[in-house]
Amino acid sequence: MSNEEINLVEPSLTKIQDIESTFRIFSIDLQLWIELSTHPSSGLKLGVIMARFGIIFSAIFSQIYIKIIANPIITIWTLQLICICIAFNQVVFHPDAFMFTNSYDGLKNYFTFYQYVIQEASPMGLWHYTQMNYPFGEYIFFTDNTPFLALLMRFIHQHLFDISHHLVAIHNYFFLALHLILPVFIYKLIKPSYRSQILFIIIMSIGITWVNPQVQKFIYGVFNLSISLFSVFVLFILKDIYRLHVGEKIIWPTALKIFALIFLSGLFHIYYVPILALPIGLFLLYFSILSLTQKSWSGLAKYASLGLSTALAGILLLVLINSVDSYAALRRPGAQGFGYDLWQFAPEAIITPYVFNSIVPLLKSCITTIVSSESQGFLGNFMIYNLLIGLTILVGYILGKRNGLKSFGRAIRNSKFIIGLIVTMLIVYATASGPFVKFCFIPLSFDNWFSVFYFFYKKIDIITQFRCLARFHGLDFGSYST
């Protein structure tokens, strides 16, 4: 090998100190490659340079990987921002000129927010506005008006400065901002289980954010029900409840978290109160039963106090609404439509693709498409694949190992958090499916005794106000994903 050929390979990977020097060497090698590629006799030199390309690319990607690992939160925010800019590009770059949707509930919800903020003070109080239910007006709790945001923007507009020309943009950016920070909280939720797999956690944090059915609320116009962040907060609380079970003394912080989540979420949309309270209550019930079987009266008292905190938050919000609602005595205690098929979650929805899905699903559904946007909840091929693989591994473990069934039983008894979460998910799914369930893949239908509301909705009128039961399944999707 000549001196010239030796000099071509002299710079080693150890001399590449940073990305800047790497790109400098890369550009020199690129020029040499272009020159040598025109000379057939220079095959050895060309091969050496191509090998160096491989080393340099490895150095570049290794340094990028190190940067990602060192700054996962910044990486997640950056990737999520890019995804948002792609998915909602017109809304992001022209926020005053575009809506997420301009028909049906979407247009109405922009209208109610805008009119409440700009109107003059109503003689019937802060919570009342006159631009709906003419000539009586209506209260912001009953019109999907996102009271938390509407009250804040009304105060700014009335007392600080005029924002009437930018209310559409404010509305758009508010919900996009909540979607922007969502994967960061998912990252913090699942990181303890995968500490050494940062890149995997980053990918999953972004992925779960976008495959969640609640994202489609942007399209269908129920914007204040697109906030998956509340579902993630519930999962944090469930982990806190389990930490109480294993002996950690965090009773009052957990009680305050539950109260704040239930009460404040109700100021975004009243549906969040039962949607979030139901899984918390079921999880508390599960551990209360465990405490009873173990005769742990102190544990039972802790779970009872957390249940009281959950109920108190909902009751206080109801008291607030009734105290400001001068029409309360005129309203019907119940609502029509409870049990309506299109507002219930179809069991087959988890394997029924969305209309825009272009990938053949792993499992064939007996339903072509889910008509109601509320009832959609396709898990996706990745989730279904993981579920099938997990079940296959589990069956193989039980059948292939001596005393496999006993070992599996011991594992179940030692996995109280996972079992509690699965039981909670199944009951929430059952509740979302309504008081009567009918399957399409087998000739089976039955009264849904597994629904929490089955034994109460005919006796407690207020339950029927939450007639769109399919909305309860949003948390279950997040639970399964994480």
Side-chain angles (χ1 to χ4, degrees), residues 1-140:
M1 183 178 290
S2 66
N3 290 336
E4 183 181 3
E5 291 167 338
I6 293 174
N7 289 337
L8 283 172
V9 296
E10 183 180 5
S12 65
L13 182 60
T14 58
K15 292 185 178 182
I16 301 173
Q17 301 298 324
D18 51 30
I19 291 181
E20 186 176 333
S21 62
T22 302
F23 277 112
R24 186 167 59 252
I25 295 173
F26 172 76
S27 63
I28 294 172
D29 279 353
L30 183 61
Q31 293 175 3
L32 283 171
W33 183 82
I34 294 172
E35 294 176 5
L36 291 174
S37 63
T38 60
H39 300 284
S41 61
S42 304
L44 178 60
K45 296 179 182 179
L46 190 59
V48 170
I49 292 177
M50 291 180 69
R52 284 180 52 171
F53 275 161
I55 295 173
I56 291 170
F57 274 121
S58 297
I60 292 173
F61 286 116
S62 65
Q63 291 183 47
I64 292 173
Y65 179 76
I66 290 171
K67 295 290 186 183
I68 290 174
I69 297 302
N71 303 280
I73 302 299
I74 295 176
T75 301
I76 289 173
W77 264 338
T78 303
L79 292 175
Q80 180 72 344
L81 182 60
I82 292 171
C83 291
I84 287 174
C85 289
I86 294 172
F88 303 106
N89 59 87
Q90 298 283 23
V91 172
V92 171
F93 298 109
H94 309 283
D96 285 313
F98 283 85
M99 301 175 177
F100 291 113
T101 181
N102 61 354
S103 59
Y104 299 106
D105 278 355
L107 183 60
K108 184 267 294 181
N109 291 338
Y110 275 104
F111 172 82
T112 55
F113 170 71
Y114 180 86
Q115 290 296 335
Y116 174 74
V117 172
I118 67 169
Q119 76 158 25
E120 296 295 329
S122 169
M124 300 184 70
L126 175 67
W127 306 86
H128 183 271
Y129 69 117
T130 58
Q131 299 300 310
M132 198 169 183
N133 194 27
Y134 180 84
F136 308 104
E138 188 53 282
Y139 290 86
I140 58 176

Side-chain angles (χ1 to χ4, degrees), residues 373-401:
S373 62
E374 300 287 2
S375 301
Q376 294 177 345
F378 182 47
L379 289 179
N381 279 343
F382 179 72
M383 298 293 182
I384 294 173
Y385 173 81
N386 282 335
L387 183 60
L388 293 176
I389 291 297
L391 290 174
T392 303
I393 293 173
L394 178 61
V395 172
Y397 173 83
I398 293 174
L399 297 179
K401 187 176 180 180

Side-chain angles (χ1 to χ4, degrees), residues 316-363:
L316 285 182
L317 185 64
L318 182 62
V319 168
L320 171 64
I321 295 173
N322 286 331
S323 65
V324 301
D325 180 16
S326 59
Y327 305 146
L330 303 176
R331 300 187 191 275
R332 295 178 56 181
Q336 295 178 331
F338 189 88
Y340 180 47
D341 286 347
L342 293 182
W343 291 343
Q344 296 176 168
F345 185 73
E348 296 83 8
I350 61 175
I351 58 172
T352 305
Y354 300 116
V355 292
F356 51 80
N357 187 76
S358 59
I359 301 175
V360 178
L362 291 175
L363 298 178

Side-chain angles (χ1 to χ4, degrees), residues 240-252:
D240 284 347
I241 294 171
Y242 176 71
R243 288 165 60 194
L244 279 170
H245 177 74
V246 297
E248 294 191 37
K249 297 180 179 179
I250 52 172
I251 178 68
W252 294 115

Side-chain angles (χ1 to χ4, degrees), residues 278-341:
L278 178 60
I280 293 174
L282 289 171
F283 206 68
L284 288 171
L285 179 61
Y286 169 77
F287 279 101
S288 296
I289 293 173
L290 287 181
S291 296
L292 280 173
T293 59
Q294 298 167 1
K295 297 183 178 180
S296 174
W297 310 120
S298 61
L300 190 61
K302 288 187 294 186
Y303 304 133
S305 63
L306 294 181
L308 181 61
S309 177
T310 306
L312 186 61
I315 291 170
L316 285 182
L317 185 64
L318 182 62
V319 168
L320 171 64
I321 295 173
N322 286 331
S323 65
V324 301
D325 180 16
S326 59
Y327 305 146
L330 303 176
R331 300 187 191 275
R332 295 178 56 181
Q336 295 178 331
F338 189 88
Y340 180 47
D341 286 347

Side-chain angles (χ1 to χ4, degrees), residues 403-419:
N403 297 324
L405 192 58
K406 291 183 178 180
S407 299
F408 177 68
R410 286 194 298 269
I412 291 293
R413 288 191 294 272
N414 294 330
S415 303
K416 294 182 176 63
F417 177 81
I418 298 299
I419 300 304

